[in-house]
Amino acid sequence: QMVQQMAKTMSRRYEIAKNGGQLDLRRVLRNNFRKGEEIIDLFHRKPARNKIRLVLLCDVSKSMDLYSRFWVQFMYAFQTLYQSIETFVFSTKLVRITEDLKEMDYTQALENLSERVPNWSGGTDIGTMLRQFVDEYAMRKLNSRTIVLIVSDGMDTGDGDDLAKNMERIRRKARRVIWLNPLASSPDFRPEVKALKAVLPHLDLHAPAHNLESLKRVIEQLR
């Protein structure tokens, strides 16, 4: 239900409605005044569907074990309801799983991915992941209509020297970049790890994502 709500997100723009919708008073006046003073033709409008593209990047390293299966299921739901979407998982390397989630049921996809993805439930090298994404996918997958959702706790085992540079490149090409962090729900949470410090200046939103309620709040902000 949450994914359906997000997939049907409407913008503030309007488009012509052939059947029903609200009266488009501006168009009614503009077109009928040309013909005289009487209102002859009525025109209606409806909210235009946002043509937003989604790119989901989910951390499946050891520190995310408690959340990664839930997030893969969330990504699976997106794949079934949202057409313009690309999905990736990462630990020490980035793996595109868009076709996996399209062609299999959730249980089978999860089993196959845990075997196919290098270091599933292993270490996390976010810097390498971002560099790989920029080098291999950013030019083709990102534009001004793309929202990038990164799901990770930021616990990075790499050196992270080019984290900020690659995140900045992603931010320049995308519409919005959102980092969802399961640990951010704690009242004592502080973004002290190196990876988060490097990427925070280039994010539109850094938000908790540890349960359904937190995801509902994120979806409301996206709307």
Side-chain angles (χ1 to χ4, degrees):
Q1 290 175 341
M2 290 170 61
V3 173
Q4 284 178 330
Q5 178 185 357
M6 187 172 177
K8 294 177 181 178
T9 294
M10 303 303 239
S11 73
R12 294 181 180 179
R13 296 178 296 106
Y14 288 86
E15 60 186 17
I16 296 173
K18 295 182 179 179
N19 299 309
Q22 68 184 74
L23 191 67
D24 188 345
L25 185 60
R26 179 180 297 180
R27 191 160 177 252
V28 168
L29 296 177
R30 184 174 63 245
N31 283 270
N32 285 281
F33 280 177
R34 295 172 183 169
K35 303 174 182 178
E37 296 183 356
E38 293 185 11
I39 302 297
I40 301 173
D41 300 319
L42 296 180
F43 301 92
H44 295 82
R45 65 179 187 173
K46 63 181 179 180
R49 182 67 53 83
N50 249 333
K51 297 181 179 179
I52 293 297
R53 301 173 63 182
L54 291 175
V55 171
L56 306 183
L57 303 143
C58 182
D59 185 344
V60 292
S61 63
K62 180 66 175 178
S63 62
M64 287 285 291
D65 262 352
L66 187 62
Y67 309 99
S68 57
R69 290 178 179 269
F70 164 75
W71 272 102
V72 172
Q73 186 173 6
F74 195 71
M75 294 163 76
Y76 180 83
F78 265 115
Q79 287 280 170
T80 59
L81 293 170
Y82 206 96
Q83 293 184 348
S84 186
I85 184 171
E86 288 286 348
T87 48
F88 301 82
V89 292
F90 66 91
S91 53
T92 55
K93 290 184 178 181
L94 184 72
V95 179
R96 181 176 178 268
I97 63 169
T98 305
E99 302 306 322
D100 297 78
L101 298 186
K102 283 182 178 179
E103 297 176 358
M104 306 175 187
D105 63 44
Y106 168 69
T107 304
Q108 182 183 355
L110 190 60
E111 290 178 359
N112 289 5
L113 289 173
S114 61
E115 296 176 359
R116 187 166 77 85
V117 176
N119 284 330
W120 183 288
S121 294
T124 319
D125 190 342
I126 301 174
T128 297
M129 179 275 292
L130 288 179
R131 183 171 63 250
Q132 184 183 350
F133 179 78
V134 168
D135 291 344
E136 298 180 18
Y137 299 102
M139 292 300 295
R140 294 181 289 113
K141 304 299 182 184
L142 302 183
N143 59 31
S144 60
R145 295 188 291 110
T146 309
I147 294 177
V148 179
L149 290 174
I150 302 174
V151 184
S152 176
D153 56 13
M155 299 298 180
D156 185 34
T157 57
D159 55 30
D161 290 338
D162 55 357
L163 265 169
K165 178 182 69 175
N166 285 309
M167 183 58 76
E168 182 182 10
R169 293 171 68 183
I170 292 172
R171 181 63 193 88
R172 283 202 306 265
K173 289 192 64 65
R175 182 188 184 104
R176 297 189 78 190
V177 180
I178 298 171
W179 190 294
L180 302 179
N181 188 341
L183 301 184
S185 61
S186 170
D188 301 324
F189 173 78
R190 298 291 183 275
E192 299 295 340
V193 295
K194 184 178 180 180
L196 286 180
K197 285 185 176 180
V199 302
L200 276 174
H202 309 291
L203 302 178
D204 294 287
L205 178 66
H206 176 249
H210 61 294
N211 58 21
L212 290 176
E213 287 302 317
S214 62
L215 290 182
K216 288 179 181 178
R217 288 193 290 269
V218 170
I219 289 174
E220 285 301 315
Q221 291 180 349
L222 288 176
R223 293 185 70 194

